[in-house]
Amino acid sequence: MRGRIKQAGTFLVALVLIVTLTSAPVFAAERKFKDVSSSSWYSGYVDNLTKKKIINGYQDGTFRPDNNVERQHVCAMVVRATGMDYSGKAANFPDVVSDSEMSPYIAVLQEKGVINGYQNGNFGPKDSVKRGQAAIIISRAFNLKSAGKVSGWRDTAGHSAEEQIKILASNGIIKGFADGTFKPNAPVTRAQLSKMLT
């Protein structure tokens, strides 16, 4: 009798272990990032770009959608999204290490006139990208044209990125805020950039 109870107990433990092991990957596949809810407005954009290997998360399994995006990372995402050949290239900025992982992405966008450095000659790879700057980079990289006239926002008139913001808006790529502004000088978040790139 004891032998049967012990055998049944062993079987039960084995069954629980099998269920646990086989169900874990399904959960992981359903939610790539633990901080991206399937009900969030950006979930589909993040999923799409992750599947295409255009964006990555952090090592702790998060995406951090509200984090600002660095200039070097925008370059990497845009180059991956456009499919530009960046192999063997090195950026020509004094503050970008030529053999760094980000250097080839920066180099190909510099070569194609998509990005520029600052007046002091630096690129500022770790600086946050502003929403207006993101509009410029994306419209240039994808060679976008206006799809129709848009009125724009009250805080974009006369801005250096006004034309590119209107181009993206006319193509349905970007929207402003409920208060009637676009906030071109505010940092672009990872969630916002995911929508723009999709």
Side-chain angles (χ1 to χ4, degrees):
M1 185 72 169
R2 282 184 186 173
R4 286 185 183 173
I5 292 172
K6 188 175 180 182
Q7 192 176 18
T10 305
F11 174 76
L12 187 58
V13 170
L15 184 61
V16 169
L17 185 61
I18 289 169
V19 170
T20 303
L21 290 173
T22 56
S23 62
V26 174
F27 176 78
E30 286 174 0
R31 281 188 67 188
K32 173 78 175 157
F33 303 112
K34 57 189 175 187
D35 59 344
V36 175
S37 165
S38 58
S39 62
S40 64
W41 65 265
Y42 51 82
S43 175
Y45 304 121
V46 172
D47 289 346
N48 178 43
L49 295 179
T50 302
K51 285 175 189 170
K52 293 180 178 179
K53 298 184 178 176
I54 293 169
I55 60 172
N56 299 309
Y58 294 87
Q59 289 183 343
D60 63 358
T62 62
F63 180 71
R64 303 177 198 176
D66 297 323
N67 276 18
N68 297 341
V69 187
E70 294 178 359
R71 284 165 60 87
Q72 61 184 350
H73 293 146
V74 168
C75 291
M77 291 180 226
V78 166
V79 169
R80 290 179 196 137
T82 58
M84 291 180 190
D85 181 16
Y86 58 91
S87 56
K89 299 190 182 296
N92 187 25
F93 293 107
D95 60 341
V96 178
V97 180
S98 59
D99 61 351
S100 70
E101 180 187 359
M102 295 296 154
S103 180
Y105 299 117
I106 295 167
V108 71
L109 293 184
Q110 180 186 19
E111 182 181 282
K112 293 185 179 293
V114 174
I115 58 159
N116 299 308
Y118 295 118
Q119 288 184 347
N120 64 3
N122 287 336
F123 178 68
K126 293 183 182 280
D127 291 355
S128 294
V129 174
K130 307 293 189 279
R131 287 168 54 84
Q133 292 170 337
I136 292 171
I137 293 169
I138 289 172
S139 65
R140 287 178 182 170
F142 289 92
N143 197 26
L144 296 174
K145 307 295 181 202
S146 178
K149 192 174 180 180
V150 291
S151 58
W153 294 270
R154 66 174 186 256
D155 60 346
T156 59
H159 192 277
S160 59
E162 181 181 12
E163 182 185 345
Q164 289 83 7
I165 290 169
K166 285 184 175 181
I167 287 172
L168 265 64
S170 72
N171 282 279
I173 295 170
I174 56 171
K175 292 181 179 178
F177 294 91
D179 64 358
T181 63
F182 180 74
K183 298 180 175 50
N185 296 320
V188 69
T189 66
R190 287 168 59 79
Q192 291 167 353
L193 188 68
S194 297
K195 181 185 186 304
M196 293 169 82
L197 282 175
T198 300

